[in-house]
Each structure stands twice: as structure tokens, then as C-alpha cells.
Amino acid sequence: MIDTLGVPRALSGAQGTVIHSAADTLAAAESGDLHALSMALLIGTAVLITAIAAVRLSTRSGLPSLLIYLGIGLALGNRGFGIDFSDEELTQVLGYAALVLILTEGGVTTKWESIKGSLAPAAALATVGVVVSIAVVAVAAHFVLDMSWNVALLIGAILASTDAAAVFAVLRRVPLPRRISGMLEAESGFNDAPVVILVTAFAAQTASSGGLSWWSIVGTVVVELVVGSAVGLAVGWLGGHLMARVAGGSSALFAIGVVTISVLAYAAADVVHASGFIACYLASLLLGNMGLPHRAAVLGFSTALGWLAQIGLFVLLGLLADPAGFPSQLLPALVLGLVLLLIARPLSVIVSCTPFGLSWRSQAFLSWAGLRGAVPVVLATVPMTLGTEGVQGIFNLVFVLVIIFTLVQAPTLPWVAHRLGLDTSHHSVDLTLEATAFDDIGAHLIEVSVGPTSRLSGVQVYELRLPSGVNVALIVRDGVSFVPKETTPLRRGDQLLVVTPAAVRSVVEKRLYAVSRGGRLAGWSPSGPPPTT
């Protein structure tokens, strides 16, 4: 006979005893592993449910949810429920992985129209502004807190990056002019890359006896950013066209493929010693604006992964932190935080944005909205993993600074925008298009949402003058769906389902946008010639 582990019961003697003993040991080990898995799943799901529920509190209070997630991590740590976690290297690895997913979500969900007018000043903030911020914070750390120049520059670099997760979470709830919100989003996506390079270089310089030359550091930053940008754009473009051809009609597989391409861009750039973060963000930004099908599924999947990465990252950072070390770092955190908020950030904004003609109100808001979050805390683990001397309290310093100044800045952003006269509602779009591909029959289904400013209102279906073979199959108006006639007029707030052959989908989309902006006579307006029908 055979027992439950597949060991013959007829065996006797020493051999049988040894085999059964080994089987019992294996059974006990498996039972223990399963119990550990069950406990991990129990704790993990409880944390996730708590974190999801905390989003409601975050929305009402105006605080980024990252503070609540950090609090959960602290509560679970060795000063709370007793989970002992002190692996800085693992935290750094998992932190980088989470940042890749967060940048992917930020890039995919950012529309090119919202940032294209802000690209140049955002790039200046992410480069020139970073250098100015590092210099100002380093001077304060050296002369006020009596830190060595190497450590002061390292702390300045760690604190230089605004956080994509914090910016995306807070600013998208604040109605700002498109140029300002686009600039902040683009800056938070761009500045991770140069800051990560600089932190690594400064930490290595401090840890090594010989040090690195300034020209070597500057050259490394430039080369890694340029090569990383090229890799990201190439992988994004090639991957987007590949996914459009091979993913078929499965929206779920397509969404997985798009996120995979973004992660591939990071890995490919990092393998050739370029900036993986800039590659990931640019690839994601390109993929999100290529007009690929299944956009709704891609946005949903990438946003879900982004949320999961944020929750896991902030809870992990909370676990790593030791609250016993916070009191000793409170004064340095307040000093450097005030310098960063009141001097370094405003000066970096003035130097970077004045050449682009931004008003003083816009610059004032940009100065206040430089939110710090997970990125500085993750980067604070870099010198610890490299064995850099004189940085024992740097993690707690950065942790305390992020908590205090997020509490100060984030809830006040709507009030600051209102006081500066910048709280204009600009997010109403004239038209939103979402496409789903049915490659097996060579057709696409386009979902059209008519916005509050669209000039499609009053246009009859036949006046759209869509190409031959294209049909407006359904209109949903005030929750009621119906099949339109040729003479059915469209209304603001309508949702349309348009069925089109795959070959003319781009023509249909251009025509819908043209009529939405120019009205029924758009074909004869300066916006362009009438489409071929």
C-alpha cells in the first residue's frame, strides 16, 4: 500500500525507518511552509484591505495615502506588532521595482496634450532645478548642521527628487491650469532618473577613498540620461507596434503586454548601464499616447499595479524605519525641510522656469507643490547598502522630513491654488475616445464621450461624414441607449459606439476630433480638408 506521501508501507527495517522518518520531516516542513504562507496571506490581505479603506480617509483629508501606508508599516514593525525587518538591500531592490511600476502607471495615464506645452520647463526643473536644489541643501547641511561636504551633497541629492506617487495622487484632485499640472507631472516623472544617478555617484564617492572626479559624475549623468531616453523611446515605439499586431482582441493580455514593455524598457536600459527610470517613463508615456486599442483596460491594469506598488512600497518603508531613532533626527529634518521648502525649491523654480515666461503666481505654486514621498526614502537606503560612513541616521532623517512636510504641503495645495488664483477647472475635454480591437473580423469599436465643450452638440449623425463602412451603432443618453438614425442630433454628455473597419480607424478618429472642435463645417474650415469618403 502507499501512504499519503507516496512511501510504500511494506518497507521494513532500517531503510523503511529512514524513509518514513524523512517523509515525516518533509510533511512537517511542508505543513510549516503552508502555515507560514497562510499567515503571510492573512497579514497581507488585512494590510491591503486597510490600505484600500484608507483611500477614503485620504480623499476627505487631502493627505496623500502614502502617510497612512507608512503608518501601517510602522504599526506592524518591531515597535508595534513586532515584525522585525531590517534588510536595507532588499528594501532598495523592492523599492526600485515598485518605482518602475509607479512610473509606468504615471507615464501610461499621462496624456501628451496635457504636458507637451510644459515639457521644456519640466525638463529644466528635472535637471537644472535638481542641481540648484542639491547645492542649496548641501550648503545648509554643511554650515548649519556641520556635515562633511560629501555627506551634505549626498543628502541634498536624496532630497532633490519630487515623488511621482505623491504628485499623481494629490495634484490630479486639484483643478489647475493645464500647463502647471502638466509641468509637475512631467517633472516628477523625469527627475527620478538624474537623482538616482547622482545619489549613487555621491554615495560611491563618499564610500571610496579616492573619490570620483566631478567631470566623471557629470559625464555619467549625461550619458546615462541620453542613452536611457533613446532606449526607452525605441523600446516603447517598437513594443507598441508589436503589441498592436500580436495581442489580438484580448484586452487583458494587451494590458499585460503594455506594462511588460515598460518594464522591459527599464531592464534594457539598466543592462547597458543607462538610466532605466527615464527609459521606463518615456516608454510608458509613448505607449499611452500611441492610440493603441484597449486603452481602458491598459489604464485600469496599470493603475491597479501602481496602487499595489505604492501600498507595498510605503508599508515596506514603514517596516524598515525605527521610530526610536526619530527624535534625534527631528531638528535636522526640520532645518533641512525648511531650507528645501522655503529656499531651495523656490530658487530652483525661479532659475528653471523664468526663461519660459511663467508668471510669479505659477512659480509660487510650483515652489509649494514640490512634494517629497517614497523616492527620497528609498534613495536613503543606497548609502547604507554601499557601506558609506557617517550616514547612520540618514534614513530616519529623510523619513521624518517626508512625513512632516507632506503633512504641511499636501492638505494646503487646494488653498494655495485658490489664493493664487490658479484653481481654474480646465479638465473638461471636448471629446474622449477609447478603442477596442476585434482583429478576427478586422474591425474596431470606438467609444466616444462627448464633452461639455464639444461642438458635436447639435450635429446630426449624417453630418459627421464618416468614411464608407463606418456606422454609429449606439448612443447612450441619460442612461438610455438607442440606435440612432441618420438625422439623430448628438448632445453633450452622449456616449457613442462607432464601429469602423480597422484600416480607417485613424481617419475616423481625426474626423471626430475635427468636428468636435470645429463643428459640422470642420471639413471646410482651416483645421484641414474634408476627409476622403
Side-chain angles (χ1 to χ4, degrees), residues 161-237:
S161 177
T162 57
D163 187 72
V167 169
F168 296 151
V170 175
L171 290 184
R172 289 179 179 178
R173 299 199 302 262
V174 181
L176 296 169
R178 177 172 294 179
R179 190 181 188 190
I180 302 302
S181 62
M183 192 181 306
L184 287 166
E185 290 194 13
E187 179 204 6
S188 67
F190 290 148
N191 64 11
D192 287 351
V195 167
V196 168
I197 299 170
L198 288 172
V199 168
T200 305
F202 289 149
Q205 183 183 43
T206 305
S208 63
S209 56
L212 301 172
S213 68
W214 288 104
W215 291 112
S216 175
I217 294 175
V218 172
T220 299
V221 172
V222 172
V223 170
E224 288 201 21
L225 290 179
V226 171
V227 177
S229 299
V231 170
L233 292 173
V235 171
W237 189 85

Side-chain angles (χ1 to χ4, degrees), residues 13-238:
Q15 183 181 8
T17 302
V18 169
I19 292 178
H20 278 288
S21 176
D24 292 339
T25 302
L26 178 60
E30 289 180 347
S31 176
D33 288 344
L34 289 176
H35 178 70
L37 174 63
S38 299
M39 289 302 297
L41 291 176
L42 180 64
I43 296 173
T45 51
V47 168
L48 279 176
I49 292 172
T50 304
I52 292 169
V55 174
R56 187 177 184 89
L57 175 61
S58 171
T59 303
R60 289 181 174 181
S61 64
L63 292 173
S65 52
L66 69 90
L67 292 179
I68 300 173
Y69 304 153
L70 288 174
I72 294 173
L74 288 172
L76 293 174
N78 54 11
R79 301 288 176 176
F81 284 95
I83 297 178
D84 187 14
F85 181 79
S86 58
D87 193 332
E88 295 91 356
E89 188 171 353
L90 178 60
T91 301
Q92 183 182 335
V93 171
L94 294 178
Y96 276 33
L99 290 176
V100 169
L101 295 178
I102 292 169
L103 284 174
T104 297
E105 186 264 340
V108 168
T109 58
T110 297
K111 292 188 176 181
W112 174 249
E113 290 79 7
S114 68
I115 67 167
K116 64 180 180 181
S118 311
L119 207 56
L125 270 175
T127 51
V128 177
V130 162
V131 173
V132 172
S133 179
I134 291 174
V136 173
V137 173
V139 168
H142 178 71
F143 289 105
V144 179
L145 300 178
D146 197 27
M147 297 180 179
S148 68
W149 275 115
N150 283 342
V151 175
L153 286 168
L154 177 60
I155 291 180
I158 289 172
L159 296 175
S161 177
T162 57
D163 187 72
V167 169
F168 296 151
V170 175
L171 290 184
R172 289 179 179 178
R173 299 199 302 262
V174 181
L176 296 169
R178 177 172 294 179
R179 190 181 188 190
I180 302 302
S181 62
M183 192 181 306
L184 287 166
E185 290 194 13
E187 179 204 6
S188 67
F190 290 148
N191 64 11
D192 287 351
V195 167
V196 168
I197 299 170
L198 288 172
V199 168
T200 305
F202 289 149
Q205 183 183 43
T206 305
S208 63
S209 56
L212 301 172
S213 68
W214 288 104
W215 291 112
S216 175
I217 294 175
V218 172
T220 299
V221 172
V222 172
V223 170
E224 288 201 21
L225 290 179
V226 171
V227 177
S229 299
V231 170
L233 292 173
V235 171
W237 189 85
L238 292 172

Side-chain angles (χ1 to χ4, degrees), residues 362-427:
S362 298
Q363 293 190 33
F365 184 83
L366 289 171
S367 300
W368 191 259
L371 298 174
R372 268 63 185 176
V375 175
V377 185
V378 172
L379 292 179
T381 64
V382 173
M384 300 165 69
T385 59
L386 292 178
T388 306
E389 295 182 358
V391 294
Q392 288 76 14
I394 195 170
F395 182 86
N396 286 332
L397 186 155
V398 175
F399 195 98
V400 172
L401 186 151
V402 166
I403 291 178
I404 292 175
F405 286 90
T406 301
L407 282 169
V408 171
Q409 290 174 261
T412 58
L413 281 175
W415 179 84
V416 172
H418 177 71
R419 295 294 296 176
L420 293 172
L422 297 176
D423 56 343
T424 174
S425 180
H426 72 286
H427 291 291

Side-chain angles (χ1 to χ4, degrees), residues 160-332:
S161 177
T162 57
D163 187 72
V167 169
F168 296 151
V170 175
L171 290 184
R172 289 179 179 178
R173 299 199 302 262
V174 181
L176 296 169
R178 177 172 294 179
R179 190 181 188 190
I180 302 302
S181 62
M183 192 181 306
L184 287 166
E185 290 194 13
E187 179 204 6
S188 67
F190 290 148
N191 64 11
D192 287 351
V195 167
V196 168
I197 299 170
L198 288 172
V199 168
T200 305
F202 289 149
Q205 183 183 43
T206 305
S208 63
S209 56
L212 301 172
S213 68
W214 288 104
W215 291 112
S216 175
I217 294 175
V218 172
T220 299
V221 172
V222 172
V223 170
E224 288 201 21
L225 290 179
V226 171
V227 177
S229 299
V231 170
L233 292 173
V235 171
W237 189 85
L238 292 172
H241 284 83
L242 175 65
M243 290 305 302
R245 290 179 177 272
V246 305
S250 172
S251 60
L253 285 176
F254 191 87
I256 294 173
V258 168
V259 173
T260 302
I261 295 298
S262 299
V263 177
L264 173 64
Y266 171 86
D270 193 65
V271 164
V272 298
H273 304 291
S275 173
F277 288 113
I278 195 68
C280 174
Y281 183 71
L282 289 178
S284 304
L285 185 63
L286 187 61
L287 288 166
N289 290 274
M290 288 181 66
L292 297 174
H294 307 304
R295 177 174 172 81
V298 171
L299 294 182
F301 183 65
S302 62
T303 301
L305 284 181
W307 274 109
L308 187 61
Q310 288 183 49
I311 294 170
L313 174 58
F314 294 131
V315 171
L316 185 66
L317 293 175
L319 279 172
L320 183 64
D322 183 5
F326 290 173
S328 63
Q329 299 300 328
L330 182 58
L331 181 59

